[in-house]
Amino acid sequence: MLEDLLDRNSRWSSEKSAQEPGYFARLATRQSPDFFWIGCSDSRVPANVVAGLDPGEVFVHRNVANVIHSSDMNLLSALEFAVDALKIREIIVCGHYGCGGVKAATEDLPHGLADHWLEPIRRLARSYAVDLATAETEETRRDRLAELNVVEGVRRVAETPIVQRAWKLGADLRVHGLIYGLADGRLRDLNCSIGRG
C-alpha cells in the first residue's frame, strides 16, 4: 500500500511538472496563503480540495470535530503563525455534516481519549437541548449540533489573545464559520463571521 502511495505521488509530481514547469520551484520559495482553515480531521474533507484551492493557498489545522480548545497549544501555535507570520486575514472554522466526532459526542458509549476532547460538543448539546429536541431525526439533530460547534468555534477563535491582539494592532482580520456537505460537496456560510470592532 505504501508503494502504491509513493507511485501515485511520483505520477502526480511528474504530471504537475509537465503541466506547469517551475511549479514546485515557485511553491518551495514562498508561502503566502490567504486563508487559515481550522477543520475536521475527517479524510473526506481536505481543505484545499473542498475549497477549490491549490497547495500554498490555504494554511491548515485539523482535529477531531474541529473543536476549538483554549488550551490546545497545537491550534494556538498554528493560529499565531498564521496571523503574525503569514499575515492571514481570513480565518475559517469549518465543520461538516455527518461528523463522526459529533456523533461520538452524542453517544452514551466510551470513546477513550476522544471523550475528553469532545466535551465542548457535549456541553453545547446540553446548552441547546431544547432547540436540538425539535429536530425530526437523529441525523438532523447531529447536523445542527455540528453547525452549533462551528458557530461556537468562531466565537472561541475570536476570543483568543492572538486574534484580540491583532485587532488591537489594527489588523483587518475576520473569522468565518462554514459547514461542508458530504452528500453534495458544497460549503455553506453559517453567517456567524466576526471582525474587528
Side-chain angles (χ1 to χ4, degrees):
M1 295 201 39
L2 179 60
E3 287 180 18
D4 181 51
L5 179 111
L6 294 172
D7 287 342
R8 292 173 127 203
N9 169 257
S10 181
R11 283 194 306 275
W12 170 76
S13 174
S14 297
E15 289 169 7
K16 193 69 175 173
S17 293
Q19 293 168 356
E20 294 182 53
Y23 173 79
F24 292 107
R26 282 191 313 276
L27 198 59
T29 61
R30 66 181 184 75
Q31 177 176 211
S32 57
D34 293 322
F35 304 98
F36 177 44
W37 180 284
I38 303 167
C40 183
S41 297
D42 192 302
S43 63
R44 301 167 294 176
V45 193
N48 63 308
V49 174
V50 303
L53 298 171
D54 286 329
E57 293 184 320
V58 60
F59 188 63
V60 179
H61 172 83
R62 293 168 71 176
N63 65 55
V64 174
N66 48 275
V67 174
I68 309 299
H69 279 277
S70 60
S71 61
D72 180 357
M73 299 310 274
N74 187 335
L75 167 66
L76 295 174
S77 297
L79 176 63
E80 185 175 65
F81 186 76
V83 172
D84 293 347
L86 297 176
K87 305 298 183 199
I88 286 174
R89 297 298 173 240
E90 302 291 336
I91 299 170
I92 296 168
V93 178
C94 185
H96 66 95
Y97 296 127
C99 181
V102 171
K103 181 177 186 274
T106 61
E107 294 174 331
D108 192 20
L109 299 169
H111 297 95
L113 287 175
D115 287 329
H116 300 285
W117 183 258
L118 298 170
E119 176 54 31
I121 298 175
R122 281 194 289 284
R123 233 184 349 248
L124 271 176
R126 287 190 298 271
S127 295
Y128 289 92
V130 173
D131 177 45
L132 293 169
T134 64
E136 293 180 18
T137 67
E138 188 67 25
E139 181 182 2
T140 55
R141 184 173 79 84
R142 288 179 177 147
D143 286 348
R144 177 66 183 134
L145 185 55
E147 293 173 345
L148 292 168
N149 183 44
V150 169
V151 173
E152 176 71 4
V154 167
R155 187 184 65 73
R156 292 183 65 106
V157 168
E159 290 174 349
T160 64
I162 297 160
V163 171
Q164 290 293 314
R165 182 177 63 244
W167 282 334
K168 283 181 185 166
L169 294 172
D172 186 21
L173 176 65
R174 295 186 49 76
V175 186
H176 309 281
L178 304 178
I179 193 93
Y180 177 73
L182 291 172
D184 63 6
R186 301 297 297 268
L187 287 168
R188 291 165 180 81
D189 187 350
L190 293 176
N191 298 310
C192 60
S193 297
I194 300 175
R196 179 169 50 112

